[in-house]
Amino acid sequence: MQQEYAYAQIALRHWAVVTLVPIVAACATTVAPYDRQVGLETFDAAWRIVHESHFDTTFNGVDWVALREELRPRAEAATEREELRGTIREMLGRLGQSHFGLIPKEAADTLDPEDGDPGLDTVGDLGFDFRLIADTIVVTQVDEEGPALAAGVEPGWTLVRVDDGEIDEVVRALRADSSRYTVEFRAWRRVSRLLAGEQGTGVRLEFRDSRDRPVTLDLVRRRDPSVPVKIGNLPTFFGRAARRAVPGPDGLRVGVIWFNVWMVPLLPTIDTAVHEFRSLDGIVMDLRGNPGGVGGMVMGVAGHFLDDRIQFGTFRTRTTNLRHAANPRRVSPMGERVTPFAGPVAVLVDELSASASETFAGGMQSIGRVRVFGQRTAGAVLPARMDRLPNGDVLYHAFAEFVTADGVTLEGRGVIPDESIAPTRAALVAGHDPILDAAVAWIADQRNRTSGGVGDPCGEAACANRP
């Protein structure tokens, strides 16, 4: 059988951080009998780990000791795993912060690419992405060679129904439910779950095309073309990256680098793209829809654009501060000596950009090295660890908060773009990307201002916080 979980992760050195992205994980078909004593020990361990490691000794205003006394009797009385898990999740939810959650043992132990897990071959994909725009799910991108493209789906189409599920009902329910996350973020996550399934399985989708005519399609999920990656006890994630050069006015050439998650197997593609774009007028880092990943990558990717170990943020724990600084990249993928790219860099974000994407965008923005375009990010920026509990479930829990070089705490706030631009259905139907267009226009302006030179790579902020 299949279950869906909403997990993603970044890592700070060897610790993992979770950032909420749909994953399909295979569940075990046989489960050992529930042990109430082990269940109680599991609750106690989860409470204790947070009590000892949370970066905020006030626990975000929650009386953590009193909460244990309130919920422990329920954990003690639990007679099945899901009842216990619900109690632990309620305890973690009271903190009202990102990067706290419980991964069931069945999800943590499955889909491991290193073990050649055959379950990876069953993960399906329909080949299109979407966003909630004006209370409507709108197709924003269609993959090449995917089922959606073959069926004629185009950007700007609206999704009306998935099998027997009305999308409007989903959105209305989300509007009525309070959450620390925006309805746009939750709608994407919820609809992603509706669309998820095994390779080779079918789904009936009802759309409205660019002229609002109803279109019903029966699509068959292809094998997910992404690279499977597993870190620690988290389920497998699927990463992909792409690069392209786009033209601008007066011969302008801009390189666009997109990747859907910060995972190490994608780093060679990112490194190669930066090197290929080194002679262009500017580079765009497209982090829209990117929920995070391996946090150490942020320092390395930042080093493509900074020639000094400039600090662009800090992870504050209960006892110490961990410096987040660029790792200058002075060697090309071919082993040649190079200088980090010094031209203008734009970063594209939206409400699904989270965690590592926020540390990169917000940190580099704070020192003036990049200009950020799009929509305010998710505000889920807490590095976290994973710990096995006595019953085999995995607790992920924040142990630090991220503060940018100019003193801004991003958790709960998100990265505020320098130019706030929202996508529209009309623009998508016309084949335009207004957020990318604004970034390209800015790069063109920077070229004109410097008459072809690159100027100060840190901009007006002059790269404060140099070591």
Side-chain angles (χ1 to χ4, degrees):
M1 59 181 176
Q2 293 288 325
Q3 272 191 322
E4 296 168 349
Y5 298 102
Y7 306 131
Q9 77 285 334
I10 65 171
L12 173 62
R13 300 178 186 177
H14 60 281
W15 292 311
V17 174
V18 182
T19 57
L20 301 171
V21 67
I23 297 261
V24 177
C27 290
T29 56
T30 58
V31 180
Y34 181 72
D35 187 322
R36 294 180 64 180
Q37 181 58 38
V38 173
L40 184 60
E41 292 172 1
T42 297
F43 174 86
D44 287 340
W47 180 89
R48 184 183 65 254
I49 289 168
V50 175
H51 185 256
E52 294 174 351
S53 65
H54 197 291
F55 60 91
D56 177 10
T57 55
T58 72
F59 300 95
N60 202 31
V62 175
D63 187 332
W64 197 244
V65 174
L67 184 59
R68 176 180 182 271
E69 296 306 311
E70 175 191 344
L71 296 181
R72 192 173 190 271
R74 282 171 47 184
E76 187 173 16
T79 58
E80 56 182 27
R81 287 175 180 78
E82 288 308 315
E83 188 177 356
L84 173 70
R85 288 166 177 168
T87 302
I88 294 175
R89 288 181 177 126
E90 179 177 342
M91 177 176 69
L92 300 173
R94 295 280 188 93
L95 292 167
Q97 295 174 314
S98 68
H99 297 77
F100 284 91
L102 190 69
I103 304 174
K105 181 180 186 298
E106 299 83 16
D109 293 345
T110 59
L111 296 182
D112 189 345
E114 294 185 1
D115 292 340
D117 194 322
L120 293 171
D121 294 330
T122 70
V123 178
D125 172 71
L126 292 171
F128 71 93
D129 200 1
F130 56 89
R131 293 292 186 274
L132 182 68
I133 300 176
D135 272 353
T136 303
I137 293 295
V138 181
V139 175
T140 55
Q141 181 264 337
V142 181
D143 293 351
E144 295 182 1
E145 301 180 357
L149 181 66
V153 178
E154 298 178 358
W157 284 26
T158 62
L159 183 61
V160 178
R161 182 191 296 268
V162 178
D163 287 329
D164 294 328
E166 291 279 355
I167 298 301
D168 282 349
E169 293 181 4
V170 172
V171 175
R172 281 196 297 269
L174 292 172
R175 287 284 184 198
D177 184 28
S178 61
S179 171
R180 72 177 301 278
Y181 295 104
T182 65
V183 67
E184 289 80 6
F185 185 101
R186 290 179 288 135
W188 178 84
R189 186 173 64 184
R190 176 59 180 153
V191 175
S192 293
R193 292 174 180 173
L194 294 176
L195 295 172
E198 292 187 357
Q199 174 191 355
T201 59
V203 60
R204 174 161 291 189
L205 304 180
E206 182 180 329
F207 294 95
R208 294 278 179 175
D209 69 9
S210 59
R211 296 171 61 183
D212 281 330
R213 296 172 300 188
V215 179
T216 299
L217 299 173
D218 291 312
L219 301 185
V220 177
R221 297 177 178 91
R222 64 176 174 178
R223 178 181 178 180
D224 194 304
S226 307
V227 178
V229 185
K230 184 172 173 66
I231 294 180
N233 296 317
L234 291 166
T236 296
F237 295 85
F238 296 85
R240 69 178 79 172
R243 62 186 185 272
R244 61 191 174 104
V246 299
D250 301 321
L252 186 83
R253 295 285 287 171
V254 175
V256 180
I257 302 172
W258 170 88
F259 51 105
N260 70 329
V261 67
W262 292 76
M263 288 292 175
V264 173
L266 303 182
L267 192 55
T269 300
I270 299 169
D271 293 344
T272 299
V274 173
H275 184 65
E276 290 180 355
F277 297 153
R278 195 176 301 280
S279 63
L280 300 189
D281 298 292
I283 290 178
V284 173
M285 300 295 289
D286 189 348
L287 302 181
R288 289 175 291 183
N290 187 321
V294 176
M297 284 179 61
V298 172
M299 293 181 281
V301 173
H304 280 302
F305 310 113
L306 292 166
D307 200 19
D308 292 308
R309 292 192 58 81
I310 298 169
Q311 182 173 346
F312 55 86
T314 301
F315 280 121
R316 294 178 180 172
T317 74
R318 183 180 293 191
T319 59
T320 190
N321 293 332
L322 304 174
R323 189 168 169 266
H324 223 52
N327 179 21
R329 309 294 293 277
R330 302 190 181 101
V331 179
S332 76
M334 287 72 70
E336 305 164 336
R337 293 288 296 180
V338 296
T339 300
F341 181 77
V345 179
V347 179
L348 313 186
V349 296
D350 63 13
E351 291 163 317
L352 274 62
S353 306
S355 208
S357 293
E358 295 181 278
T359 62
F360 179 84
M364 294 289 276
Q365 180 192 53
S366 73
I367 61 171
R369 179 61 187 97
V370 305
R371 189 165 181 83
V372 180
F373 298 80
Q375 298 165 284
R376 186 193 293 248
T377 61
V381 200
L382 300 179
R385 298 170 180 160
M386 292 179 292
D387 284 283
R388 279 280 185 180
L389 298 174
N391 71 345
D393 288 351
V394 174
L395 175 73
Y396 58 87
H397 56 102
F399 68 95
E401 63 179 347
F402 182 78
V403 181
T404 64
D406 57 354
V408 175
T409 300
L410 296 180
E411 173 70 13
R413 171 190 183 270
V415 178
I416 300 175
D418 297 295
E419 294 190 29
S420 294
I421 306 166
T424 66
R425 185 188 178 198
L428 291 166
V429 167
H432 297 305
D433 183 343
I435 300 174
L436 176 59
D437 291 346
V440 171
W442 171 73
I443 291 172
D445 181 65
Q446 296 302 296
R447 183 188 63 175
N448 295 338
R449 286 173 180 267
T450 58
S451 300
V454 295
D456 180 1
C458 290
E460 296 179 358
C463 281
N465 303 284
R466 293 183 185 271

